[in-house]
Structure formats: C-alpha cells, structure tokens
Amino acid sequence: MKLLLAEDEVELSNALTAILQHNHYTVDAVYDGQAAIEYLSVEEYDGVILDIMMPKKDGIEVLTKFPKKFLRM
C-alpha cells in the first residue's frame, strides 16, 4: 500500500515514516501542502495522511484540490 505523508515537523515525519515502513507501507513524505499537491498531481496513492497546519497550503486546501481522489464509494 502506497501512502503520501504530509507533515511539516521533520522529526515527527521521520518517526511516522519509519513506523509505516516497518508495517510494510511504501511512504512518500513531504513537508508542506504545496509539495503534497504536486505529488498528488503525478502519483497514485492508496491513502494520504495530511497535517492540517502546514506551510504554503494547509491540509484542508490539499483536500479541496483533489476531492474525487479522497472519496471512494
């Protein structure tokens, strides 16, 4: 399962990435909302973990940019 992790605190991002990878997830980590938007524009992910308060774009702005990617029926 491939995940995108958007978290601006580097130490927390590193810890979460290590935990997820230990549990057999593939993780791309980014540190701001704009980078999350760029990754979501070109990659396919099974899930996304977004911090709400990030530089450049917050997690809510990222969600509203890709509403169909986050809704599965």
Side-chain angles (χ1 to χ4, degrees), residues 4-54:
L4 177 65
L5 170 64
E7 167 58 59
D8 62 322
E9 293 185 30
V10 176
E11 288 182 16
L12 178 56
S13 178
N14 291 341
L16 291 170
T17 298
I19 291 166
L20 291 165
Q21 288 175 337
H22 179 76
N23 287 283
H24 310 290
Y25 290 95
T26 301
V27 180
D28 288 337
V30 296
Y31 305 104
D32 63 68
Q34 184 59 45
I37 288 170
E38 291 167 7
Y39 272 65
L40 287 165
S41 296
V42 297
E43 293 286 334
E44 288 292 321
Y45 292 95
D46 298 302
V48 181
I49 302 168
L50 296 169
D51 185 5
I52 296 297
M53 295 172 51
M54 291 184 289

